[in-house]
Amino acid sequence: PLLGLGFANPIVLTNCLAASVVFACCYWLSSRLESAQPRQVAKPDQIGALVGRVGLSLFSDTRSIAVGLFVAAAVAIVGGLLIYVQYSNERQLAQLRSKAVAERLAERFAIQFEIDAEISRSIGLRAGQSSSGQREIAEAMRDVLPLLGKGHSIQWAPQAVVRLVQPRKGNEHAIGLKILSIDGQNREANDVIEAGHGHWTGPMKLVQGGSGLIYRMPVYEPGSVPSRATFVGLVQIVVNLEKFIADAAENDVGEHGVMVWITNRSDSTQGAVTQLVHGPGDKETSLAEFGWVTTKTVANDRDGDRLHLRILAYPSQADLMQAIPARLQGLLVLALLLAAIATAFDQNRRKTKTARTQLRDSEAFRSALIQGAGAAVIATNADGVITLFNPAAFARSISRSM
């Protein structure tokens, strides 16, 4: 059982083996010391000597086991304390590393989203020029493509119908998409057109697949007041969150896991939508103790809408290795105590069985001694009634009667 408990963690396994070896050595040493002591009893008769030897042997075994268990439990407790201190330090270091991962990823989000907003304004200015055609806009989109993060695409949608997409590979389904006809997006797209400034939409399911965010920048006729009548089109930057987060956390994937929540909060509608966009949601509670949570506002709109980010970074092996050492040490000590109790019960059972055997032997020896004695032996109770006599007593009583 001790080895079974220890296999979950190599360090705890070492401590279990150390406690087991210490118990075996202490028991052997104590048994040797006890066996070296003289076992003579005070009574010279055969019955007393026999009972005394049995009692001394049982006492010697029990004391050896108790000594071994005591020392082994002490070793297990000291080892458990050392492991607890070690893991406390390692957990603190793991939390600091998780903090660095979470803050680095949050900063990457903030910088990339700011770049996305600036790129959409730049493309919007080019698309708003009366001399700009589809070719010029496409060239401008290709020029800024290296500035976009992985999982990003940029779209030009004249009159809210997508005509140009960069990169085109993997985004073919977006060509010809009528934004104002998409359920769940048409209302926000109309709000952007009427407001006259950029706005983040999402998280949502993308036509290209996966969960994502969309930054929309409306474009109007040059020199005109932003309105639906002067509306020319939309510049959209689409962010596939799974691909972007996988790329941003690529250097930390081996050692850390990441969970990301995004909240799109609007002051105008007094609403907020929070969605887990990356990571296993069922591990949040069990891993929060070993990881680090960072919150950051990564985007602000003129109308008061804000994009909040919540990131939980945690060591990838925390749920397997970090939570169990102290508990396993407690189980180890409990196993030793149970072993002591089981040993005591076994010794008591053996002692009772041996005592019964010796009682039967002593009764037989006493009977043989009395029956074989040459002298008359007679025993009576308090009322003077004879309860025991031997053949010699019987012969004497017969001779007297004759």
Side-chain angles (χ1 to χ4, degrees):
L2 299 182
L3 296 180
L5 292 174
F7 274 126
N9 190 299
I11 299 178
V12 177
L13 173 60
T14 303
N15 195 28
C16 292
L17 290 176
S20 302
V21 171
V22 167
F23 168 74
C25 293
C26 289
Y27 176 75
W28 177 82
L29 180 60
S30 179
S31 299
R32 296 286 293 181
L33 293 175
E34 291 291 340
S35 62
Q37 296 180 1
R39 298 192 177 187
Q40 298 297 328
V41 295
K43 295 182 179 181
D45 58 281
Q46 184 178 359
I47 300 176
L50 183 60
V51 175
R53 283 196 299 271
V54 173
L56 183 60
S57 176
L58 288 174
F59 177 74
S60 173
D61 289 343
T62 304
R63 185 163 60 181
S64 300
I65 291 173
V67 171
L69 288 174
F70 176 78
V71 178
V75 170
I77 293 174
V78 173
L81 291 176
L82 294 177
I83 292 177
Y84 178 79
V85 172
Q86 176 189 357
Y87 270 86
S88 296
N89 294 334
E90 289 185 358
R91 182 168 59 184
Q92 186 176 5
L93 292 175
Q95 287 179 336
L96 292 177
R97 289 192 292 266
S98 298
K99 178 182 179 181
V101 172
E103 292 183 347
R104 183 165 59 246
L105 184 57
E107 192 65 23
R108 174 72 183 274
F109 262 95
I111 293 174
Q112 187 60 58
F113 285 4
E114 185 176 353
I115 292 174
D116 294 344
E118 291 298 327
I119 288 176
S120 65
R121 294 188 190 100
S122 174
I123 299 299
L125 291 175
R126 176 65 66 88
Q129 296 176 3
S130 58
S131 59
S132 298
Q134 297 288 335
R135 180 176 298 179
E136 288 78 8
I137 297 175
E139 291 178 356
M141 292 168 61
R142 282 194 295 268
D143 291 340
V144 301
L145 192 59
L147 299 177
L148 297 175
K150 188 173 182 180
H152 284 59
S153 64
I154 184 169
Q155 302 174 357
W156 166 238
Q159 298 303 318
V161 179
V162 178
R163 298 301 182 188
L164 297 176
V165 179
Q166 289 292 341
R168 188 179 180 88
K169 185 177 181 181
N171 298 298
E172 296 85 353
H173 296 293
I175 301 296
L177 191 65
K178 297 180 180 180
I179 299 171
L180 298 180
S181 301
I182 302 176
D183 293 336
Q185 296 189 35
N186 50 4
R187 184 178 63 83
E188 293 190 1
N190 283 317
D191 292 342
V192 169
I193 294 173
E194 294 177 358
H197 58 79
H199 178 77
W200 281 100
T201 302
M204 65 179 68
K205 289 186 177 181
L206 303 175
V207 176
Q208 301 91 324
S211 177
L213 294 168
I214 299 177
Y215 185 79
R216 293 191 174 102
M217 173 63 68
V219 179
Y220 305 92
E221 296 177 356
S224 63
V225 177
S227 65
R228 189 172 294 275
T230 61
F231 172 70
V232 175
L234 290 171
V235 177
Q236 294 192 147
I237 292 185
V238 181
V239 183
N240 186 307
L241 292 170
E242 285 292 334
K243 294 181 179 179
F244 174 68
I245 295 172
D247 178 67
E250 181 179 6
N251 296 330
D252 304 310
V253 168
E255 298 181 356
H256 290 83
V258 176
M259 298 175 65
V260 180
W261 293 263
I262 292 181
T263 302
N264 199 337
R265 188 178 301 276
S266 175
D267 288 345
S268 58
T269 60
Q270 298 297 320
V273 177
T274 301
Q275 183 176 333
L276 175 66
V277 297
H278 182 80
D282 57 334
K283 291 188 177 182
E284 178 184 6
T285 303
S286 60
L287 299 180
E289 180 183 356
F290 314 109
W292 189 270
V293 177
T294 295
T295 58
K296 189 178 184 65
T297 299
V298 294
N300 283 293
D301 294 341
R302 296 180 188 176
D303 54 5
D305 292 354
R306 297 178 300 277
L307 205 61
H308 288 286
L309 196 66
R310 181 172 179 265
I311 299 176
L312 169 62
Y314 56 89
S316 58
Q317 297 298 321
D319 53 338
L320 177 62
M321 301 294 289
Q322 298 288 339
I324 58 176
R327 300 172 187 174
L328 285 183
Q329 293 304 314
L331 291 176
L332 172 60
V333 176
L334 179 61
L336 290 173
L337 293 177
L338 292 177
I341 295 173
T343 301
F345 275 108
D346 181 67
Q347 290 295 327
N348 183 64
R349 181 185 60 82
R350 290 168 54 190
K351 185 176 180 180
T352 302
K353 182 178 180 180
T354 303
R356 290 175 177 175
T357 302
Q358 296 303 321
L359 179 60
R360 289 194 299 268
D361 293 342
S362 64
E363 289 178 349
F365 177 78
R366 184 187 63 180
S367 178
L369 182 64
I370 293 175
Q371 297 298 325
V377 177
I378 299 175
T380 62
N381 59 14
D383 298 329
V385 179
I386 298 175
T387 59
L388 176 67
F389 61 93
N390 65 347
F394 178 76
R396 181 170 297 185
S397 63
I398 293 298
S399 64
R400 285 185 178 182
S401 62
M402 293 178 64

